[in-house]
């Protein structure tokens, strides 16, 4: 167990964005996640990793689709809300949240997020104590705002006032 804490701390040295993954339906659900990444442009794919013990883990296959909301720097409160394991489940967890249903999936899409994706589950893979879900992007939109980050076990902000023009040549 002590080794897992050390490993978790080492994983935390990689800065990530913060998202809220959502599923719609009669009992919608949201979950804060930083295990999100783009995978492919053709077809357009993203991935999320969900702990097998999370409520979301059972809801994703049943829903067949999901939303990903990339949080803005001022949305730390939403990140904490959807990370709280003791919040009321179902529709009530969205009562004080500014959101709208995704037009293609019905998944809750959070207003003021800097990017939103509606996805259908394309594939899933065993990932140890998590499942890796690949989602085919059905729709997306974005806003030009500062991002909320997670690094070293804490929420952080990125400063867009820095000159990032040098990064335009970076290719992966």
């Amino acid at each position: 167990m002590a080794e897992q804490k050390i490993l978790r701390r080492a994983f935390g040295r990689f800065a990530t964005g913060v998202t809220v993954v959502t599923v719609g339906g009669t009992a919608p659900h949201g979950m804060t996640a930083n295990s999100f990444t783009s995978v492919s442009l053709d077809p357009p794919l993203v991935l999320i990793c969900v702990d097998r013990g999370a409520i979301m883990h059972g809801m994703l296959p049943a829903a067949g689709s999901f939303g990903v909301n990339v949080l803005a720097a001022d949305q730390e409160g939403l990140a904490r809300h959807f990370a709280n394991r003791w919040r009321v489940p179902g529709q009530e967890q969205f009562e004080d949240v500014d959101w709208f249903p995704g037009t293609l999936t019905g998944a809750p899409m959070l207003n003021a997020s800097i990017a939103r994706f509606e996805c259908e589950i394309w594939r899933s893979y065993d990932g140890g104590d998590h499942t890796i879900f690949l989602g085919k992007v059905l729709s997306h939109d974005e806003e030009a705002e500062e991002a909320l980050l997670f690094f070293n076990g804490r929420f952080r902000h990125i400063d867009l006032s820095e000159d990032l023009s040098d990064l335009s040549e970076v290719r992966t």
Side-chain angles (χ1 to χ4, degrees), residues 10 15 24 130 146 159:
H130 283 62
E146 292 185 16
D159 184 359

Side-chain angles (χ1 to χ4, degrees), residues 2 13-14 24 27 39 42 49-50 54 67 74 76-77 81 83 88 93 97 122 124-125 132 134 136 153 156-157 170:
R13 302 284 189 218
F14 182 70
V39 175
D42 187 20
C49 299
V50 180
D74 64 354
E76 182 178 331
H81 172 73
V88 178
Q93 67 189 289
V97 176
W122 194 65
S124 63
Y125 301 95
I132 302 161
L134 285 179
K136 184 174 181 182
R156 313 284 180 150
H157 304 133
V170 174

Side-chain angles (χ1 to χ4, degrees), residues 14-19 32-36 70-71 147-151 155:
F14 182 70
T16 65
V18 182
T19 69
T32 299
N34 67 339
S35 293
F36 163 78
V70 180
L71 298 186
L148 181 63
L149 299 179
F150 196 71
F151 176 72
F155 290 106

Side-chain angles (χ1 to χ4, degrees), residues 160-171:
L160 289 181
S161 66
E162 294 179 28
D163 181 13
L164 300 179
S165 60
D166 300 1
L167 298 178
S168 63
E169 297 302 314
V170 174
R171 304 214 193 277

Side-chain angles (χ1 to χ4, degrees), residues 25-102:
T26 57
H29 187 68
M31 174 192 86
T32 299
N34 67 339
S35 293
F36 163 78
T37 193
S38 60
V39 175
S40 170
L41 292 174
D42 187 20
L45 300 174
V46 299
L47 75 74
I48 57 173
C49 299
V50 180
D51 187 301
R52 292 181 184 281
I55 293 170
M56 183 65 78
H57 191 270
M59 297 187 83
L60 276 166
S65 62
F66 59 94
V68 177
N69 301 273
V70 180
L71 298 186
D74 64 354
Q75 291 182 305
E76 182 178 331
L78 283 177
R80 291 187 181 282
H81 172 73
F82 286 106
N84 180 350
R85 293 179 187 254
W86 295 277
R87 72 184 179 283
V88 178
Q91 184 72 37
E92 288 183 55
Q93 67 189 289
F94 293 94
E95 277 186 7
D96 295 325
V97 176
D98 190 14
W99 68 279
F100 60 93

